[in-house]
Amino acid sequence: MFSFKALLGLLIAVNIASFAAALDFTGAQWIWIPGRAADGITYPPGNATFRRDYYPEAGKTSLSANILITTDDAYTLYVNGYKVGTGVDFTKAQRYCVPLVPDYNVFAVEGQNYQYTGSNVGNAAGVLSAIEIRFTDGFTETIVTDGEWHGVSGVPAGFEQVAFDDSAWPAAFVEGPYPTTAPWNAPQNAITIPPATQNPGPSLPSASWIWTNEVDSAGNAPIGGRAFRKTVTLPAGEFVDTVTMDIVADNAYTLYINGLLVGSGQDFHTAQRYQVNFPPTFTVTIAVYAANDGGPAGLLAAAEFEGCACGCAENTFIITDGSWKYSTGTPAGFENPGFDDTAWPAAIVEGPYGRAPWGQVATPTSNSPQSAAISGAPAARLLALSPEREMN
């Protein structure tokens, strides 16, 4: 079983991230070991093993990996010594999601080339893979099968372990790029790539408007700021490393996740969306400072919690409802994990999305930029955003 001990000890580093394109085999090369037959395609039957050491660039901390892989004819995939998965049909690629340790990770593959029935003649053999590394700052890097991998014939004992010494292994033999290399470029050998998980995202229309118990019979609330909290603890064995949240408030809000300032909004007609990445954890604290300028007051939010790599379990969804807690003041440190809100009362549900006076709030379709806290909100540590660049 994967250990998250080191990752859970990290300080949370958060970044507003844009959605990445689905991982495919772009840039990947078919690889095997030297020794291909004179026909330029055939290898003798048997096994070959491959390794790829990965060190993140300076200042980066590895978080998890999305892996797309296929092998002609069959493979067993390992990450940091742990068996991740197998495949026996090269025309059907597989996807995997695994956690990584911060600094040094090893991807290893045992490939098998089948023997034709009744003969000792082999056939085409090759490993094809693309691996998207996610960092704690929300950015990604993709590595592919190429000459950076090393490979040998056979299956050396312990080859999948991190401490295994492959310094004497030669570079893998690069057969050619996907999708133009024979024989895999033939129509009958077309590779089916499974779809990326289609996360539905937060469902703001499923949420309820909430506030404190101060709303009068006319639907009006006192002027001023109020504090709201929701702590989400996942079941044993499940972890989360990404939160995508849609949020809006009448009249304004500042959002905090695990004590760090994420962003603010000051127009109750339009919601904002934030996506926050952090090292795997089983507990997430969401806190909101919401301010009313007079008249009606309300807070509406929905969030999707995406599992990191531990089996890529189904995502968890939360909405504003009666399970949230509130304070009519703004106690010092209320935005931080570990703050004691046991004495806070449950939020008052004012009504569902779409109710008067707010109607159909415009829901976001892309991530909002980070913004500073509104007046009166706690001066929590501001996120240090990475420089603007395209995310892979």
Side-chain angles (χ1 to χ4, degrees):
M1 186 175 182
F2 288 93
S3 171
F4 291 90
K5 183 176 181 181
L7 289 177
L8 292 177
L10 293 174
L11 290 176
I12 290 179
V14 187
N15 187 63
I16 308 302
S18 61
F19 292 105
L23 181 66
D24 58 25
F25 286 124
T26 298
Q29 308 274 333
W30 286 96
I31 63 171
W32 201 249
I33 56 176
R36 189 165 62 177
D39 62 10
I41 292 177
T42 303
Y43 276 95
N47 289 29
T49 49
F50 304 87
R51 283 172 55 97
R52 174 64 155 88
D53 298 344
Y54 179 78
Y55 294 89
E57 64 181 81
K60 295 288 187 180
T61 301
S62 300
L63 178 63
S64 60
N66 293 317
I67 302 173
L68 182 65
I69 185 172
T70 190
T71 298
D72 187 352
D73 290 293
Y75 73 85
T76 301
L77 170 67
Y78 301 86
V79 176
N80 294 333
Y82 295 91
K83 181 178 177 180
V84 174
T86 62
V88 295
D89 182 351
F90 74 86
T91 65
K92 297 177 181 177
Q94 287 81 39
R95 292 186 187 273
Y96 303 98
C97 176
V98 296
L100 299 179
V101 295
D103 48 6
Y104 171 55
N105 293 273
V106 174
F107 303 93
V109 178
E110 176 187 346
Q112 183 179 5
N113 191 31
Y114 292 156
Q115 178 178 322
Y116 283 130
T117 303
S119 73
N120 194 36
V121 177
N123 53 42
V127 176
L128 183 71
S129 183
I131 303 172
E132 182 184 67
I133 312 294
R134 177 187 287 180
F135 303 110
T136 55
D137 64 5
F139 290 100
T140 63
E141 177 185 5
T142 299
I143 62 175
V144 296
T145 41
D146 56 16
E148 294 295 314
W149 289 65
H150 294 81
V152 295
S153 178
V155 186
F159 80 94
E160 75 279 8
Q161 299 299 321
V162 173
F164 183 88
D165 182 7
D166 64 0
S167 59
W169 286 21
F173 177 73
V174 175
E175 301 178 87
Y178 170 88
T180 58
T181 299
W184 303 288
N185 60 347
Q188 67 270 24
N189 293 329
I191 297 171
T192 301
I193 298 177
T197 301
Q198 299 299 312
N199 295 332
S203 177
L204 203 61
S206 299
S208 296
W209 286 94
I210 62 171
W211 200 250
T212 70
N213 65 348
E214 303 167 285
V215 179
D216 62 25
S217 58
N220 299 318
I223 294 173
R226 302 294 184 261
F228 296 85
R229 281 175 55 93
K230 171 75 173 180
T231 299
V232 180
T233 301
L234 299 181
E238 293 187 17
F239 292 81
V240 60
D241 68 356
T242 302
V243 173
T244 302
M245 188 163 189
D246 293 352
I247 183 172
V248 66
D250 182 353
N251 291 97
Y253 73 86
T254 295
L255 170 66
Y256 307 84
I257 294 183
N258 286 337
L260 298 180
L261 195 160
V262 175
S264 300
Q266 301 187 61
D267 180 0
F268 63 82
H269 297 96
T270 303
Q272 287 76 48
R273 170 170 293 181
Y274 303 98
Q275 188 178 72
V276 182
N277 299 319
F278 39 79
T281 180
F282 57 86
T283 302
V284 177
T285 299
I286 298 174
V288 179
Y289 174 87
N292 183 35
D293 295 340
L299 172 65
L300 184 75
E304 177 184 31
F305 289 57
E306 297 181 45
C308 65
C310 38
C312 295
E314 293 184 0
N315 296 344
T316 298
F317 299 86
I318 69 163
I319 56 175
T320 42
D321 56 19
S323 67
W324 286 60
K325 295 188 172 186
Y326 75 87
S327 171
T328 55
T330 53
F334 84 88
E335 73 278 12
N336 294 319
F339 178 88
D340 185 6
D341 62 6
T342 55
W344 285 22
I348 304 301
V349 175
E350 299 181 277
Y353 171 90
R355 64 150 291 175
W358 302 290
Q360 305 297 310
V361 174
T363 56
T365 57
S366 61
N367 294 335
S368 300
Q370 183 187 12
S371 53
I374 62 174
S375 177
R381 182 160 62 92
L382 195 66
L383 300 180
L385 294 184
S386 300
E388 283 292 329
R389 63 184 173 106
E390 181 181 356
M391 293 195 181
N392 298 319

